[in-house]
Amino acid sequence: MSKTQASPRLAGAMRAPGWLYAVMAAGLVLVVIPFVWMLLSSFKPEAEVRAVPPTWWPETITMDNYTQLFTQLDFPRFFMNSAIVAVAVAAGNMVFCSMLGYALAKLDFPGKKAVFGVVLGTLMVPGVVTFVPLFVLTTNIGLTNTLPGMILPFLAGPFGVFLMRQFIASLPDELIQAARIDGAGELRIFFSIILPLCGPAVATLGVLTFLASWNNFLWPLVVATSEDKYTLPVALALYAVGQNATKYGLLLAGAVVVVIPVLAVFLLLQRRIMQGIAMTGIK
C-alpha cells in the first residue's frame, strides 16, 4: 500500500472526536478567564474593583494602580532581582545539565549507571525536603540574604540532566567518533558538535528553568532577609498582608507585571519548546 493511500486512513483514525474539542475549549476558557479579569481589573479604580456585582469591562480606565506600583514599591529593584536570579539559573542549567547529560549519554566511565540511577532517584524527591539542608549549607558559607544564595543551589537539577541525556543519546555516535579520529578533545566535541545540535532541548530546558525560577517563591522567601534582596513574588506576597491587603487594584497590577515576562519568553520560544519536548518525549 502506498503512502498516498495510507495517509487519508491514518488521518481519519487520528482525527479527534468533536466532544474532545468541546472539552478542550471549555478548559481553555476556564484558564483564560481569570487572567483576562485580572488584566482588565488592573485598569479599574479601587472602588470599581470592589464593586458588587463586579463589572467585566472597566467603566473608568485608569493607570493609577500601575503608577502606585512603581512609586510606592521599589519595583525596579524587585524586578531586577527576579531577572538576575531567573537568567542565571536558566543559563547555569543549560550549561551544566548539558555537560552532565553528554557524559551520561556518550562517555564511558566507572559508575556511569549508578550516577544515572542517582539522577533518576532524585527526580522522585520533593524539592521541599531539601530546603533545610540547603538553608544550613547556604548559611554556613555566608550566602544568606544574597543573590548568589538564591542562584547557586539551582544551577543544575535532575530534570535538566535527564532531559539533556535523553536528547543527546539520540544523536549519532558516528559524529563523535569522527571528531575523535580528527583529534578533537571531549570539550571541543561538546561545544563544537554536541551543543549546537541540542538547540531545541537546550531552549526547552532554559525556558522551563527560567519560568520555574521566576515564579519561585519559597526559596527566596527563606534566603532573603532584607527588602533589597526580595524578588517580585516575595515582594508582592509580603505587600499583600496587613494594611496593604485591601489594595486589590494595586496587587492585580503587580500580578500582571509579574506575568508579562513569562508570557513573552514563552511566546518567543514556543516553537523551540514544543520541538524539544516532542524530540525528547519520544525516547
Side-chain angles (χ1 to χ4, degrees):
M1 181 178 294
S2 67
K3 291 183 179 179
T4 55
Q5 292 174 323
S7 296
R9 296 181 180 180
L10 181 61
M14 296 179 64
R15 188 177 299 121
W19 64 265
L20 183 58
Y21 286 109
V23 172
M24 294 172 64
L28 178 63
V29 171
L30 290 176
V31 171
V32 170
I33 281 180
F35 176 75
V36 174
W37 187 86
M38 176 183 71
L39 178 64
L40 294 176
S41 297
S42 67
F43 294 100
K44 299 176 183 175
E46 188 64 35
E48 190 178 346
V49 175
R50 298 165 174 273
V52 178
T55 58
W56 181 254
W57 190 262
E59 296 178 354
T60 304
I61 298 178
T62 177
M63 296 296 291
D64 287 348
N65 294 322
Y66 290 94
T67 303
Q68 294 179 37
L69 186 67
F70 286 92
T71 55
Q72 295 185 8
L73 294 179
D74 194 0
F75 206 78
R77 180 184 294 275
F78 303 146
F79 190 94
M80 185 59 66
N81 289 342
S82 285
I84 292 173
V85 172
V87 171
V89 169
N93 273 269
M94 287 190 286
V95 174
F96 297 123
C97 292
S98 299
M99 296 179 75
L100 187 51
Y102 169 64
L104 292 174
K106 297 298 184 183
L107 301 183
D108 291 323
F109 56 88
K112 175 180 172 179
K113 292 184 178 179
V115 173
F116 187 53
V118 171
V119 172
L120 293 179
T122 52
L123 278 172
M124 306 174 190
V125 179
V128 179
V129 175
T130 63
F131 267 39
V132 173
L134 273 180
F135 181 73
V136 172
L137 178 62
T138 304
T139 303
N140 289 339
I141 60 179
L143 292 180
T144 304
N145 198 34
T146 63
L147 294 182
M150 302 182 199
I151 296 170
L152 290 178
F154 302 100
L155 283 180
F159 171 75
V161 175
F162 176 75
L163 180 74
M164 295 309 303
R165 189 264 180 193
Q166 295 301 98
F167 187 88
I168 294 173
S170 67
L171 300 179
D173 294 334
E174 290 76 10
L175 287 174
I176 300 173
Q177 293 170 359
R180 287 172 180 162
I181 292 174
D182 288 341
E186 295 302 331
L187 282 177
R188 184 178 176 186
I189 293 174
F190 173 75
F191 285 107
S192 300
I193 298 175
I194 299 299
L195 202 54
L197 296 174
C198 295
V202 171
T204 301
L205 178 61
V207 172
L208 293 179
T209 51
F210 177 87
L211 299 183
S213 181
W214 182 269
N215 295 322
N216 191 7
F217 169 74
L218 191 54
W219 180 250
L221 177 66
V222 171
V223 173
T225 56
S226 62
E227 187 173 326
D228 63 326
K229 296 297 185 298
Y230 286 170
T231 57
L232 277 176
V234 175
L236 286 177
L238 295 181
Y239 190 79
V241 298
Q243 61 180 358
N244 300 314
T246 56
K247 297 182 178 179
Y248 298 128
L250 179 63
L251 296 174
L252 290 171
V256 170
V257 175
V258 170
V259 170
I260 287 175
V262 176
L263 286 178
V265 171
F266 179 78
L267 292 176
L268 287 174
L269 298 174
Q270 59 176 330
R271 179 177 296 180
R272 286 278 189 177
I273 296 173
M274 299 306 174
Q275 187 179 4
I277 292 174
M279 296 183 72
T280 54
I282 61 177
K283 299 300 170 188

